[in-house]
Amino acid sequence: RSGGADEIDFNRLAATWEYGHAVVMFASFTSATASSLTPNTVNLTMQAIEEVVRRFRVKKVKTIGSTIMLVGGADDSTATRQELVAGMVEAAVAIRALILQPMAASTVPDLTYRFGVHCGPCFGAVMGGNGAVFDLVGDMVNMASRMMTTAENRTIQYSLAVHHPLLPRLKAAATQRSGVKMKGKGTMTVYKLEEGVGADVLRANDDGTPFTHTSPLLTELLQQLNLDGK
């Protein structure tokens, strides 16, 4: 058995796991028009996000309304720090390119969304009695959340700790943002991927062709969201 998120099914109450290096992302989307984001639309969007991130060694931890928390490295993976960080940032780009940007361009024109990513040590635990759930705790997790809440609309924002090990093509696409106020941390220099940074920065498919999703389930979910599914 692998640790962490994979242990939810075993309901190991009071169990904890220490992760020396994990990567956490919070992604949130909303609309000023309540009728645009019905509970069914939010549910389908969350399912589509989960399906997209499977390709990048990323797993869902939990959802809070229309915010989703994702983690990389909370398992027995032997992935390197660079692979974990690159995978999470690529997952964010893919979510934006395949789901949120098409929604904003068609079905939910006033859609706002933002991403926040940070990495470092944290703890995982199965918390609660009845209906116990797996969660992550630690300063790193709090910082990932603050990365999201301070991000500009429709951008992917991440810390220097994330930027440093990124692959060159992702680093080259980033823009530095200075003087960002973080609760309890003062001002920080962070990095962001603007809305125009798209799927062209993602790793190619196994056959060498440009990135595209190959999941029938994702195609079906995008079609249910009235997106093209391509």
Side-chain angles (χ1 to χ4, degrees):
R1 295 179 179 180
S2 59
D6 290 339
E7 294 286 350
I8 299 173
D9 293 338
F10 302 118
N11 197 31
R12 289 175 57 179
L13 302 182
T16 60
W17 297 265
E18 181 177 0
Y19 306 117
H21 191 85
V23 186
V24 167
M25 175 168 70
F26 286 88
S28 181
F29 56 94
T30 187
S31 168
T33 308
S35 60
S36 299
L37 283 179
T38 65
N40 184 57
T41 299
V42 173
N43 180 45
L44 289 171
T45 303
M46 290 300 188
Q47 291 183 58
I49 289 173
E50 287 186 66
E51 186 62 20
V52 166
V53 303
R54 286 165 55 88
R55 175 168 176 168
F56 300 98
R57 300 179 179 176
V58 172
K59 297 178 180 179
K60 180 190 79 173
V61 178
K62 62 183 178 182
T63 59
I64 309 167
S66 58
T67 298
I68 188 168
M69 177 183 179
L70 301 159
V71 65
D75 54 23
D76 285 344
S77 170
T78 57
T80 65
R81 179 187 179 198
Q82 185 179 52
E83 289 171 336
L84 289 171
V85 167
M88 186 63 82
V89 174
E90 286 190 315
V93 173
I95 291 167
R96 184 170 65 179
L98 295 176
I99 305 171
L100 299 181
Q101 283 180 331
M103 288 176 67
S106 57
T107 57
V108 191
D110 65 344
L111 187 71
T112 61
Y113 50 84
R114 46 185 48 84
F115 300 78
V117 186
H118 189 47
C119 61
C122 65
F123 288 89
V126 175
M127 299 181 177
N130 295 330
V133 295
F134 178 82
D135 205 353
L136 296 174
V137 294
D139 185 65
M140 183 272 281
V141 178
N142 296 335
M143 181 56 68
S145 177
R146 290 167 189 156
M147 285 289 159
M148 181 198 72
T149 58
T150 59
E152 297 171 341
N153 183 31
R154 298 187 177 183
T155 65
I156 299 163
Q157 181 168 279
Y158 51 85
S159 62
L160 176 62
V162 170
H163 183 73
H164 180 70
L166 279 182
L167 300 174
R169 67 178 180 281
L170 291 172
K171 276 188 175 181
T175 301
Q176 184 174 296
R177 186 179 175 214
S178 302
V180 179
K181 294 182 179 180
M182 294 283 176
K183 181 180 179 181
K185 300 293 182 179
T187 58
M188 297 180 64
T189 296
V190 299
Y191 294 83
K192 63 179 179 178
L193 294 178
E194 301 276 10
E195 188 177 10
V197 177
D200 56 307
V201 303
L202 300 177
R203 283 170 287 183
N205 296 322
D206 291 339
D207 61 3
T209 58
F211 171 86
T212 184
H213 79 80
T214 55
S215 162
L217 175 57
L218 181 58
T219 297
E220 179 183 343
L221 290 166
L222 294 180
Q223 289 172 347
Q224 290 184 59
L225 285 164
N226 296 315
L227 306 178
D228 61 18
K230 295 180 181 179

